[in-house]
Amino acid sequence: METKQTDIKLKSPVRCIVKLGGAAITCKNEFEKINEANLITVSSQLREAMIVDDFKEQQVLDYNSFVVIHGAGSFGHFQASKSGVHRGGLNQPLVKAGFVATRISVTSLNLEIVRALAREGIPSVAMSPFSCGWSTRERNIASADVSTVVEALDSGFVPVLHGDAVLDESLGCTILSGDVIISHLAAHLKPQFVVFLTDVFGVYDRPPAEPNAVLLREIAVREDGSWSVVNPTFEDSDKQVEISVASHDTTGGMLTKISEAAMIAKLGIDVYIVKAATEHSLTALSGKLRDEIPEDWLGTVIRYVS
Amino acid sequence: METKQTDIKLKSPVRCIVKLGGAAITCKNEFEKINEANLITVSSQLREAMIVDDFKEQQVLDYNSFVVIHGAGSFGHFQASKSGVHRGGLNQPLVKAGFVATRISVTSLNLEIVRALAREGIPSVAMSPFSCGWSTRERNIASADVSTVVEALDSGFVPVLHGDAVLDESLGCTILSGDVIISHLAAHLKPQFVVFLTDVFGVYDRPPAEPNAVLLREIAVREDGSWSVVNPTFEDSDKQVEISVASHDTTGGMLTKISEAAMIAKLGIDVYIVKAATEHSLTALSGKLRDEIPEDWLGTVIRYVS
């Protein structure tokens, strides 16, 4: 994997990588529709979270410590799935046209997010993975030059990346998801914590809409990558097993989410999955959860235990 | 200069690098206003120019042989000049905000151009120079990884780049003009010809709006980079000297334009400067001028003579 490891010498450490989930910032069921209210609140919360007190007790914006990645939501998905961009085959006119249409859709969302952040005074800069030269091989990252992201951070900007259609060495093309980008950046930039902003309160033991769905408040990840729910403690010990072995990810993508978050947590980076545009997301973004998780905080913390 | 020369092994040669001048595709005096009619015609002409007859006498779109670069026109210039982005100084809040605003403005124009080209069936992909990691040192290109452009070309896409705000190693930041990008790409991609689409018929001996302005139809560039007008032939021999020595570029940017075009022509690449969205621009884009320049063709040809 070509990642230019040697170039990664950040002037100051990255504080947070934040994922704006597609479901949180767009209206899922309306074609290319932004959830304006959420986006405004999310941008405002990000600004608040970036303010740090300096030694003179003046408030300064600690801009250079955040990276934003967003999903596609109701942008891109339609164009990508209809043409099968994720399966590759650029020699097929439909796939090639789908690639172009997908990129137009996701970059137009990206532009609006950069604009919303800039309106809050955040020095956001679009960094589209395809343009940055990110590419895959069999859908795994093959080339991702993190140095351009580092240079933007070092210059005091907040890079804004997104899930994108990219070239794939074996398939021709595919979709690189925002979550894969986060894992990659987390491994190389070593942020203090990672926040996933989503449209539900966190990770549940079953689809959140189901009755009796239980919010998993804290998940512990061990050295070998295995994980277990430590809060709530299930009286029924079979329950824990049930969550761990639930196959084929029938629980609304829960297992995939936990597995990806666990890979990040294994690096010693706290991961918070929280509902966007709530008091809980602001708490998570501010970094306060690293010291203590308040009783009334709603969300899922996934962290490494040695 | 970090250009990854070794990576430049194109599957097929680049046919044309085309510059969509800011004045041709935007309304110069209206803030962030696209010249829709021109953009539609330009896109349609580009599509027509990309069609080549294959050996079966079927028309096929020879997509992978064009690179598009556009200027900013009424996008970006206001934001950039008001904040002084070209002078650098990212530690000043106004410059940093101007950098962000400039990029938002030029990337929104870029998105609309990519969209207009895609509507014509051209597989256009946005490649923003800042995102691509292009940077400067004292305003000269310091790093420009052409390999991402090459990969896009090799996959059959038409990369669309633009003048952009970029990081500068000594100044902090500056503006990288579309014309500088073209010179750089021309030197590395070695296209068959370069077309500058503008809002006048070509290069004149004085500002085109002045009475008696004469269109310079053909300019010959010699090995040492010097150039002379070979058509029309001025009876008054002092006239030739007058054009060559006109100092401080008082002739509406003519000398700068010729000098930049001459640098490209010196590489053996024909340069055509022509009015956008006219029959003359279509002739230039089609590559027909390489064989013969029709009597009724209006524009300026700048080419190397050995």
Side-chain angles (χ1 to χ4, degrees):
Chain A
M1 201 189 295
E2 186 193 317
T3 48
K4 295 202 176 175
Q5 281 272 16
T6 48
D7 287 344
I8 300 174
K9 285 174 197 153
L10 280 159
K11 279 187 197 167
S12 59
V14 173
R15 191 152 165 233
C16 171
I17 297 180
V18 56
K19 163 81 182 286
L20 315 187
I25 49 161
T26 74
C27 304
K28 251 198 265 191
N29 301 318
E30 283 185 74
F31 181 65
E32 296 195 343
K33 174 116 175 113
I34 289 173
N35 185 330
E36 294 286 354
N38 262 16
L39 181 55
I40 289 171
T41 308
V42 164
S43 304
S44 160
Q45 289 193 349
L46 275 168
R47 183 182 199 279
E48 203 172 329
M50 284 178 192
I51 296 173
V52 290
D53 294 331
D54 74 359
F55 59 94
K56 285 171 193 150
E57 292 188 342
Q58 288 176 321
Q59 285 201 322
V60 293
L61 280 167
D62 182 13
Y63 283 131
N64 62 346
S65 51
F66 274 69
V67 179
V68 174
I69 289 125
H70 63 83
S74 59
F75 289 73
H77 277 319
F78 172 78
Q79 293 88 343
S81 62
K82 202 183 165 191
S83 58
V85 173
H86 59 289
R87 286 192 301 270
L90 271 179
N91 54 338
Q92 299 164 52
L94 179 67
V95 175
K96 190 184 266 188
F99 188 99
V100 169
T102 301
R103 293 213 71 237
I104 288 174
S105 186
V106 293
T107 53
S108 69
L109 173 61
N110 180 252
L111 179 62
E112 290 316 313
I113 289 172
V114 168
R115 217 190 279 272
L117 295 171
R119 274 196 207 105
E120 286 291 327
I122 298 170
S124 51
V125 285
M127 304 203 80
S128 207
F130 171 83
S131 311
C132 292
W134 291 48
S135 62
T136 54
R137 189 185 302 117
E138 295 280 355
R139 296 198 183 92
N140 296 309
I141 288 180
S143 171
D145 188 352
V146 180
S147 68
T148 53
V149 175
V150 169
E151 279 157 23
L153 282 166
D154 278 348
S155 296
F157 292 107
V158 175
V160 184
L161 293 85
H162 58 87
D164 202 2
V166 297
L167 301 181
D168 184 284
E169 286 175 24
S170 46
L171 305 169
C173 66
T174 195
I175 298 295
L176 177 64
S177 79
D179 289 344
V180 172
I181 295 169
I182 291 192
S183 295
H184 188 80
L185 287 180
H188 289 88
L189 301 179
K190 303 266 163 43
Q192 292 174 349
F193 55 97
V194 169
V195 178
F196 286 84
L197 299 178
T198 181
D199 62 339
V200 288
F201 280 107
V203 180
Y204 290 78
D205 64 339
R206 72 199 80 179
E210 280 187 19
N212 305 321
V214 176
L215 178 65
L216 308 180
R217 289 169 174 272
E218 197 171 347
I219 292 170
V221 179
R222 283 173 296 272
E223 181 71 44
D224 62 1
S226 67
W227 52 268
S228 55
V229 181
V230 292
N231 182 8
T233 46
F234 293 102
E235 287 176 16
D236 178 0
S237 68
D238 285 348
K239 179 80 181 172
Q240 176 69 48
V241 178
E242 192 187 310
I243 294 171
S244 302
V245 301
S247 61
H248 301 305
D249 208 5
T250 53
T251 51
M254 181 198 73
L255 279 186
T256 312
K257 248 197 176 70
I258 297 180
S259 301
E260 282 171 357
M263 278 172 57
I264 298 171
K266 240 189 80 179
L267 304 166
I269 301 162
D270 281 9
V271 178
Y272 313 125
I273 302 175
V274 62
K275 186 166 183 170
T278 60
E279 55 179 302
H280 311 291
S281 58
L282 182 57
T283 304
L285 290 167
S286 71
K288 285 175 195 158
L289 298 176
R290 296 178 73 215
D291 305 321
E292 193 192 350
I293 300 164
E295 275 298 313
D296 61 353
W297 185 76
L298 287 183
T300 302
V301 174
I302 300 172
R303 54 165 58 138
Y304 177 74
V305 284
S306 54
Chain B
M1 200 189 297
E2 186 194 317
T3 49
K4 295 204 177 172
Q5 281 273 13
T6 49
D7 286 344
I8 300 175
K9 284 174 195 153
L10 279 159
K11 280 189 196 166
S12 59
V14 173
R15 193 153 164 230
C16 172
I17 297 179
V18 56
K19 163 82 182 284
L20 314 186
I25 49 160
T26 73
C27 305
K28 251 197 266 195
N29 301 319
E30 285 184 73
F31 181 65
E32 297 196 342
K33 173 118 174 113
I34 288 173
N35 185 330
E36 293 285 355
N38 262 16
L39 181 55
I40 289 171
T41 309
V42 164
S43 304
S44 159
Q45 289 193 349
L46 275 169
R47 183 182 200 278
E48 203 172 329
M50 284 178 192
I51 295 174
V52 290
D53 294 330
D54 74 359
F55 59 95
K56 286 173 193 147
E57 294 188 339
Q58 289 174 321
Q59 285 201 322
V60 292
L61 281 167
D62 184 14
Y63 283 131
N64 61 346
S65 50
F66 274 69
V67 178
V68 174
I69 289 124
H70 62 84
S74 59
F75 289 74
H77 277 317
F78 171 77
Q79 293 88 343
S81 62
K82 202 182 166 193
S83 58
V85 172
H86 60 288
R87 286 192 301 270
L90 272 180
N91 53 339
Q92 299 163 53
L94 179 67
V95 175
K96 191 185 266 188
F99 188 99
V100 169
T102 301
R103 293 212 72 236
I104 288 173
S105 186
V106 292
T107 54
S108 69
L109 173 61
N110 181 251
L111 180 62
E112 289 316 313
I113 289 171
V114 168
R115 217 189 279 272
L117 295 171
R119 273 196 207 105
E120 286 291 327
I122 297 170
S124 51
V125 285
M127 303 203 82
S128 206
F130 171 83
S131 310
C132 291
W134 290 49
S135 63
T136 55
R137 188 185 302 117
E138 296 279 357
R139 297 199 183 91
N140 295 312
I141 288 180
S143 171
D145 187 352
V146 180
S147 68
T148 52
V149 176
V150 169
E151 279 157 24
L153 283 166
D154 278 348
S155 297
F157 291 106
V158 175
V160 185
L161 293 84
H162 57 87
D164 201 3
V166 297
L167 301 180
D168 185 285
E169 286 174 26
S170 45
L171 305 168
C173 66
T174 195
I175 298 295
L176 177 64
S177 79
D179 288 345
V180 172
I181 295 170
I182 291 192
S183 294
H184 188 78
L185 287 181
H188 289 87
L189 301 179
K190 304 267 165 41
Q192 292 174 349
F193 55 98
V194 169
V195 179
F196 286 84
L197 299 178
T198 180
D199 62 339
V200 289
F201 281 105
V203 180
Y204 290 78
D205 65 338
R206 72 200 79 180
E210 279 187 20
N212 304 323
V214 176
L215 178 65
L216 308 180
R217 289 169 174 271
E218 196 171 347
I219 292 170
V221 179
R222 284 171 296 271
E223 182 71 45
D224 63 359
S226 67
W227 54 267
S228 54
V229 180
V230 293
N231 182 8
T233 46
F234 294 103
E235 288 174 18
D236 179 0
S237 69
D238 284 349
K239 178 79 181 173
Q240 176 70 49
V241 178
E242 192 186 309
I243 294 171
S244 303
V245 300
S247 61
H248 300 304
D249 208 5
T250 52
T251 52
M254 181 197 74
L255 278 187
T256 310
K257 248 197 175 68
I258 297 180
S259 301
E260 281 172 357
M263 276 172 57
I264 297 171
K266 240 189 81 180
L267 304 167
I269 300 164
D270 280 10
V271 178
Y272 312 124
I273 301 175
V274 62
K275 185 166 184 169
T278 61
E279 57 181 302
H280 312 292
S281 57
L282 181 58
T283 304
L285 290 167
S286 71
K288 287 175 192 158
L289 299 175
R290 297 179 72 216
D291 306 319
E292 194 192 348
I293 299 163
E295 276 298 314
D296 59 353
W297 185 75
L298 287 182
T300 303
V301 174
I302 300 172
R303 55 166 56 139
Y304 176 74
V305 285
S306 55

